[in-house]
Amino acid sequence: MCVACWDTEAARLAGIDPCHCGAPHTLRAYARIDADLRRREFLGGAGAVVGMFAGFGLAPRMARAQTPGRPLLLSNLRFFDGRETIMQEGRDILIEGDRITALPARGQGPEDAERIDCGGRVVIPGLIDAHWHSTLVGVSQVVALTQDVGFLHLMAGREAGATLMRGFTTVRDVGGPAFGLKLAVDRGAVAGPRIFPSGAMISQTSGHGDFRLRSDLPRFPDTPPTHIERQGVAQIADGADMVLRATREQLMKGASQIKIMAGGGVASLYDPLDAIQFTEAEMRAAVQAASDWGTYVCAHVYTPGGIRRAVAAGVRSIEHGQLADDETVRIMAGEGVWWSIQPFLADEDANPYSDPAQRAKQLEVAEGTVRAFDLARTHGVPLAFGTDILFNPDGAASQGRQLAKFARFMSPLEALRTATGAAGELLAMSGPRAPYDGRLGVIAEGALADLLVVDADPEAGLDWLDDPEGRLRLIMKGGRIHKDAL
């Protein structure tokens, strides 16, 4: 009915028909439009819709839930529990709802349970990437700095589904506007991993998160935020008061932890790698605000001076740190600080940089990577696996292969622990700000049922991580099966 129909009684009394909804010419037009729409739908409308969503990785995935009222039992398996660096057997894994509720002796599970025979394969906890950029991994740096934020989010949705299919059921997002993506994943609108979001990376002027060009300087008090700030990728803050405000804003948005830039970086053009960024007072402001909300601060930093300042200010997780020296790592160990480290080796999987200055910084970091792993082992610093694949759409697929590289520096099961139980301990430092209630990265009673059935022997090596399509036979997140190729 059209707008003019609202007073049809008055119109009839006046002998007037103000509405043409039922007129012959109108009905003929409706018929033509309807026929055209049906033809379009038949020829390609539905296909176009499916193609659009599938192209962005947002097409609904079949996630098989348990039969209501019946527990699920994984049987005929060996398993790595994410904590002990040994393979275990002789037990099944009982799942009710989104939890692991028991590890009964083989064959002793409840009779009414729905059973999945794993065929003697290995079960491991869902993998955790402790240094991921959900909205920045699937686009180039130019796109991230210039394109519409809606496009970024669609690309992020596509990559979220691919991340889950690589076996990564949880990521700690350490910079970028991931709050909307997290909400969509949690509500089941988009397939993807659990996300622990940091929100915008907090950077000083001229810091690693300041992506302005030199032609954009100077910045005045009335200068509007940059495109990158408006999108929520980074936030520039100078002085303790501004850092305090920036931290509180990310907490208000839902950050589970805070990310600050405490030193120079590779991706940024204008800050030297050896630069120490933020004063200790500025860092302490972020730490205080986060602590007041029951969570912690992690810091991007490579060099000894920056790491020491961050640790002194109360930062609980060092991101990267490949240029640390022996004394600095000893201090980290003494303070119980986590080391979220990546296998930066300047190899075929490195983030691509064409600028000579960026490339030189990348090579410097790569030279320190092997020594960093040695120092961590010497001093017993807890390690958590991360990739930091950034502005590298083609490189995202190397996520599992990056974890396999850890086995160059430790045993395969030790490497696997950095992306399961150890990473879960790091994420647990978010305390009440943790967005998910339950232990992650372990196979244990009460833990969230994030599980992978692997067609390989993790004790012998981790090269199978580079073939998730063929080697991951079952992917479960929160008790729901997202892939079943058993």
Side-chain angles (χ1 to χ4, degrees):
M1 182 177 290
C2 73
V3 177
C5 296
W6 68 274
D7 197 5
T8 53
E9 182 62 24
R12 281 197 298 272
L13 290 175
I16 301 171
D17 182 10
C19 176
H20 295 275
C21 289
H25 61 277
T26 304
L27 294 175
R28 286 195 298 272
Y30 283 163
R32 288 196 302 272
I33 294 170
D34 183 65
D36 186 61
L37 289 174
R38 289 177 183 274
R39 180 178 62 84
R40 290 173 183 267
E41 180 180 17
F42 177 79
L43 293 177
V49 170
V50 172
M52 177 183 70
F53 281 95
F56 281 103
L58 304 180
R61 293 183 182 272
M62 294 303 294
R64 178 160 62 87
Q66 302 159 40
T67 303
R70 291 183 65 190
L72 183 64
L73 189 72
L74 301 186
S75 62
N76 189 16
L77 55 88
R78 296 189 300 142
F79 70 95
F80 167 68
D81 70 1
R83 298 172 298 180
E84 301 294 329
T85 53
I86 57 172
M87 297 300 301
Q88 301 185 43
E89 52 187 316
R91 293 186 176 276
D92 294 336
I93 302 173
L94 185 66
I95 299 148
E96 298 183 56
D98 65 349
R99 309 279 166 156
I100 298 170
T101 54
L103 299 174
R106 182 173 295 171
Q108 298 302 307
E111 291 293 329
D112 65 337
E114 179 183 353
R115 282 172 164 75
I116 294 181
D117 187 336
C118 296
R121 297 179 178 88
V122 171
V123 180
I124 67 172
L127 301 173
I128 300 171
D129 191 326
H131 194 114
W132 189 246
H133 295 279
S134 305
T135 53
L136 303 179
V137 61
V139 294
S140 69
Q141 186 168 351
V142 171
V143 168
L145 294 175
T146 61
Q147 294 299 309
D148 183 84
V149 68
F151 179 70
L152 260 64
H153 289 311
L154 282 170
M155 298 303 289
R158 179 179 73 173
E159 189 53 50
T163 302
L164 180 61
M165 289 300 102
R166 290 191 289 268
F168 288 86
T169 54
T170 302
V171 298
R172 184 178 61 150
D173 189 289
V174 286
F179 298 115
L181 177 63
K182 175 192 175 298
L183 185 61
V185 170
D186 290 348
R187 292 190 176 183
V190 174
R194 304 176 191 277
I195 298 176
F196 280 67
S198 299
M201 301 172 276
I202 301 174
S203 169
Q204 69 171 45
T205 293
S206 77
H208 184 51
D210 188 347
F211 289 95
R212 295 174 299 167
L213 301 176
R214 284 172 173 156
S215 58
D216 293 327
L217 305 180
R219 185 173 190 171
F220 297 101
D222 60 347
T223 300
T226 65
H227 178 67
I228 211 80
E229 289 178 290
R230 290 195 303 272
Q231 289 188 77
V233 173
Q235 188 168 349
I236 299 172
D238 294 300
D241 289 345
M242 292 303 295
V243 172
L244 190 67
R245 178 174 180 172
T247 301
R248 288 171 173 169
E249 286 181 351
Q250 301 317 306
L251 291 167
M252 181 178 177
K253 288 182 177 181
S256 52
Q257 65 283 323
I258 296 297
K259 166 80 171 294
I260 65 171
M261 302 306 206
V266 174
S268 44
L269 287 171
Y270 304 120
D271 61 322
L273 196 60
D274 62 308
I276 300 177
Q277 298 172 9
F278 282 135
T279 64
E280 188 172 325
E282 288 171 319
M283 293 184 189
R284 285 189 180 278
V287 168
Q288 183 64 61
S291 178
D292 287 346
W293 279 50
T295 186
Y296 69 99
V297 172
C298 61
H300 160 103
V301 61
Y302 287 101
T303 60
I307 295 172
R308 292 188 194 190
R309 183 179 293 181
V311 172
V315 167
R316 303 303 301 158
S317 175
I318 297 299
E319 309 300 311
H320 313 314
Q322 276 84 352
L323 302 182
D325 58 20
D326 186 86
E327 178 61 18
T328 301
V329 178
R330 186 190 63 78
I331 292 171
M332 290 172 60
E335 295 294 329
V337 172
W338 279 85
W339 199 342
S340 170
I341 194 168
Q342 303 74 39
F344 290 157
L345 298 169
D347 57 12
E348 67 279 1
D349 294 323
N351 293 322
Y353 298 111
S354 57
D355 183 87
Q358 291 176 314
R359 183 63 181 158
K361 292 190 286 187
Q362 187 176 52
L363 291 173
E364 184 179 351
V365 169
E367 290 173 0
T369 295
V370 175
R371 184 164 183 264
F373 276 101
D374 288 341
L375 289 173
R377 178 179 292 278
T378 297
H379 294 286
V381 178
L383 294 180
F385 164 77
T387 54
D388 193 31
I389 303 170
L390 185 65
F391 305 135
N392 188 0
D394 294 334
S398 72
Q399 192 174 18
R401 185 163 66 244
Q402 303 274 19
L403 174 55
K405 293 176 186 179
F406 268 41
R408 302 179 189 180
F409 311 107
M410 60 193 76
S411 75
L413 290 186
E414 286 176 320
L416 199 56
R417 185 181 183 277
T418 68
T420 52
E425 292 175 29
L426 171 57
L427 267 54
M429 291 202 307
S430 291
R433 301 288 78 77
Y436 308 100
D437 179 22
R439 295 177 65 191
L440 291 164
V442 296
I443 297 177
E445 291 186 16
L448 288 164
D450 296 354
L451 301 167
L452 309 176
V453 177
V454 177
D455 201 357
D457 180 6
E459 204 168 17
L462 301 180
D463 289 347
W464 51 271
L465 285 164
D466 196 27
D467 181 22
E469 185 174 353
R471 296 300 190 94
L472 299 185
R473 305 303 294 273
L474 183 141
I475 298 173
M476 176 185 291
K477 175 189 158 199
R480 298 180 68 85
I481 297 173
H482 290 263
K483 175 183 177 180
D484 185 356
L486 289 172

